[in-house]
C-alpha cells in the first residue's frame, strides 16, 4: 500500500485481499494489543473471572430493503452471528444510527421495528444506542453500527489458528443467497429471481453444534463480505494450512447458480448472512452434520473439504470437471455495499 499518496477505495471495504492489507498496514499497528491479535471476528477478554466477548459491525447496504430483509434485520443478525462464531452466548446489543437529512420517517420506523422484532425473536435485546443526523448529500439514507457483548461458557475454545491437517470443512447451507437477493433489486440490474436473503441469527444453531460434539469444533466463521472464498483463505492463512474443497459438495441453489452464470459471478465470492463455516475433527463430522440437519438453519449442511498441508496456505478446489484450481480471495469485490 502507498501510505504516502494512496487513497481509500471501495475495494478496501470489500472483505477481500485489499481490505486485509488495509487492516494489516494501518489499523492493526495503530491499535495493537493482545486482544486484537487474537485475529477473530470478536475479542475475548476476562471480566471478574468470566470470559466475555465483544464485537462491532457497521452496515451500509444498498438498497436498504431487499427480498428477505432490510438493513435493520441485517444489523442485528450480523452482530449476533459474530458473537456466536466465537462459541459465545450473545447477551446485549447497541445500535448507532447515522441518518441523512431528508430521510423518510416512515422508512426509519420500518427499520427500527424490524430491528426490535429481530432482536426480540433472537432473545438478544438492544440496550443502548446513539443517533446522529448529517446534512443532505453527506450520507446515503441511513448507516447503522451495532455492537454486541456475550459470554463464553467454560470449556469452549474456538479460534482460527486451531485447524490441522485432516480436519474437515463444513458449510451450514446454500451459499450466495444474500448476494443474489440484494443484487436482484438494485437499480439497473436486468434480471429477476425468487431468491431471498438468508439473513438469520445463528447462535441457536451454534449451541446445538457445540453440544453435539463438545471440544471437537476447531473454529467457526460466517462467510459474509467476500463470501466462502474469503473465509477459507483467511482461515488457511491464520492456521498456516492449506485446504482441498470439492466443488460438487458445495451447496448452491439452482437459482443462485443460474444468476451467477448470467452475471459472470463466482458464487464462492458472494456474501452470505445466515450461513457458517465450521472446521472440526474428522471423527466427529457425522455426528455434527446430523445435529446441524435437525436445525432449520442447518438443513443443507455439508462437508465440502478438508485441511491439508500446504506451505503456501492455499485453498484448492477440485472442480466438477475433475481438475484442480486455486480459490483466491478477490482483491476487490464483485458487489460493494452488500452489508
Amino acid at each position: 500500500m502507498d501510505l504516502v499518496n494512496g487513497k481509500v477505495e471501495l475495494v478496501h471495504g470489500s472483505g477481500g485481499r485489499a481490505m486485509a492489507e488495509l487492516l494489516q498496514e494501518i489499523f492493526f499497528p495503530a491499535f495493537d494489543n493482545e486482544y486484537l491479535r487474537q485475529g477473530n471476528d470478536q475479542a475475548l477478554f476476562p471480566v471478574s473471572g468470566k470470559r466475555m466477548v465483544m464485537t462491532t459491525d457497521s452496515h451500509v447496504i444498498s438498497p436498504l430493503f431487499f427480498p428477505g430483509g432490510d438493513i435493520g434485520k441485517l444489523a442485528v443478525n450480523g452482530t449476533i452471528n459474530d458473537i456466536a462464531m466465537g462459541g459465545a452466548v450473545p447477551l446485549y446489543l447497541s445500535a448507532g444510527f447515522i441518518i441523512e437529512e431528508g430521510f423518510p420517517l416512515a422508512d426509519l420506523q420500518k427499520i427500527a421495528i424490524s430491528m426490535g422484532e429481530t432482536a426480540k425473536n433472537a432473545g438478544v435485546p438492544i440496550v443502548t444506542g446513539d443517533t446522529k443526523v448529517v446534512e443532505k448529500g453527506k450520507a446515503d439514507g441511513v448507516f447503522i453500527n451495532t455492537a454486541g457483548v456475550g459470554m463464553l461458557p467454560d470449556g469452549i475454545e474456538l479460534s482460527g489458528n486451531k485447524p490441522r491437517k485432516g480436519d474437515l470443512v463444513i458449510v451450514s447451507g446454500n451459499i450466495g443467497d444474500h448476494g443474489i437477493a440484494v443484487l436482484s433489486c438494485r437499480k439497473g440490474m436486468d434480471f429477476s429471481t425468487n431468491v431471498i436473503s438468508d439473513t438469520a441469527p445463528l447462535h441457536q444453531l451454534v449451541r446445538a453444534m457445540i453440544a453435539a460434539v463438545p471440544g471437537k469444533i476447531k473454529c467457526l466463521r460466517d462467510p459474509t463480505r467476500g463470501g466462502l472464498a474469503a473465509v477459507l483463505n483467511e482461515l488457511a492463512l491464520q492456521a498456516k494450512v492449506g485446504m482441498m474443497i470439492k466443488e460438487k459438495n458445495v451447496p448452491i441453489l439452482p437459482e443462485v447458480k443460474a444468476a451467477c452464470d448470467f452475471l459472470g459471478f463466482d458464487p464462492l465470492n458472494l456474501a452470505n448472512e445466515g450461513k457458517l463455516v465450521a472446521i472440526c475433527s474428522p471423527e466427529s463430522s457425522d455426528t455434527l452434520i446430523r445435529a446441524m440437519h435437525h436445525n432449520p438453519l442447518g438443513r443443507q449442511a455439508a462437508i465440502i473439504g478438508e485441511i491439508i498441508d500446504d506451505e503456501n496456505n492455499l485453498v484448492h478446489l477440485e472442480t466438477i470437471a475433475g481438475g484442480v484450481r486455486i480459490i483466491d480471495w478477490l482483491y476487490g469485490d464483485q458487489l460493494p455495499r452488500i452489508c
Side-chain angles (χ1 to χ4, degrees):
M1 293 182 69
D2 184 351
L3 296 180
V4 176
N5 300 304
K7 298 181 184 299
V8 174
E9 301 175 9
L10 276 176
V11 296
H12 289 120
S14 67
R17 188 179 298 278
M19 181 172 171
E21 292 175 354
L22 187 77
L23 298 178
Q24 290 292 338
E25 298 197 31
I26 292 183
F27 293 115
F28 287 168
F31 301 158
D32 183 47
N33 59 72
E34 61 180 299
Y35 306 110
L36 193 63
R37 279 184 232 122
Q38 294 168 7
N40 297 312
D41 285 342
Q42 63 295 121
L44 171 64
F45 54 94
V47 176
S48 301
K50 301 294 185 180
R51 296 187 301 165
M52 305 295 293
V53 299
M54 179 178 180
T55 191
T56 186
D57 206 352
S58 297
H59 306 270
V60 298
I61 191 168
S62 177
L64 299 174
F65 301 91
F66 49 86
D70 55 68
I71 188 173
K73 184 177 183 180
L74 190 70
V76 170
N77 288 338
T79 302
I80 287 174
N81 291 345
D82 281 348
I83 293 290
M85 293 307 103
V89 178
L91 297 175
Y92 306 106
L93 301 174
S94 71
F97 294 81
I98 298 176
I99 309 167
E100 184 182 17
E101 177 188 18
F103 188 71
L105 288 174
D107 285 348
L108 185 60
Q109 184 181 45
K110 288 179 186 177
I111 291 167
I113 290 173
S114 177
M115 289 185 75
E117 290 179 346
T118 303
K120 181 178 180 180
N121 291 338
V124 187
I126 299 168
V127 297
T128 189
D130 181 60
T131 301
K132 297 292 189 298
V133 177
V134 298
E135 301 92 335
K136 192 171 184 63
K138 298 296 179 68
D140 187 9
V142 61
F143 300 148
I144 301 175
N145 173 273
T146 42
V149 294
M151 183 174 294
L152 186 63
D154 293 339
I156 297 176
E157 301 285 348
L158 304 181
S159 180
N161 61 9
K162 290 183 175 294
R164 294 292 181 267
K165 180 181 178 181
D167 289 341
L168 298 182
V169 182
I170 294 172
V171 66
S172 63
N174 299 313
I175 65 166
D177 295 6
H178 178 72
I180 292 301
V182 171
L183 188 60
S184 70
C185 59
R186 280 198 175 163
K187 292 180 180 178
M189 299 305 300
D190 188 22
F191 80 101
S192 61
T193 176
N194 293 323
V195 177
I196 64 171
S197 171
D198 60 344
T199 179
L202 296 170
H203 57 309
Q204 296 299 341
L205 173 61
V206 170
R207 295 261 64 76
M209 293 168 63
I210 290 173
V213 290
K216 300 301 182 180
I217 299 173
K218 302 296 186 67
C219 68
L220 298 169
R221 288 289 166 86
D222 52 339
T224 55
R225 286 172 299 171
L228 182 61
V231 160
L232 296 180
N233 276 280
E234 179 184 318
L235 290 174
L237 189 61
Q238 188 175 356
K240 307 302 181 188
V241 297
M243 297 186 190
M244 179 62 73
I245 305 300
K246 294 187 177 182
E247 185 178 21
K248 67 179 182 180
N249 291 350
V250 179
I252 305 175
L253 284 174
E255 300 94 321
V256 170
K257 187 177 186 308
C260 287
D261 290 343
F262 173 70
L263 297 166
F265 284 176
D266 185 342
L268 298 178
N269 297 124
L270 287 177
N272 311 270
E273 292 293 343
K275 301 298 188 304
L276 62 79
V277 174
I279 298 181
C280 77
S281 302
E283 68 272 12
S284 304
S285 60
D286 288 344
T287 301
L288 180 57
I289 288 289
R290 284 196 297 271
M292 295 176 75
H293 285 172
H294 279 95
N295 187 291
L297 297 178
R299 292 268 166 80
Q300 285 77 43
I303 298 170
I304 63 170
E306 66 176 322
I307 304 299
I308 61 173
D309 285 332
D310 187 331
E311 62 181 10
N312 295 312
N313 310 136
L314 297 176
V315 181
H316 307 258
L317 181 73
E318 182 181 308
T319 67
I320 293 174
V324 176
R325 69 175 177 89
I326 301 299
I327 303 175
D328 201 2
W329 48 11
L330 293 179
Y331 183 79
D333 197 354
Q334 292 183 127
L335 188 58
R337 303 282 302 278
I338 193 65
C339 62

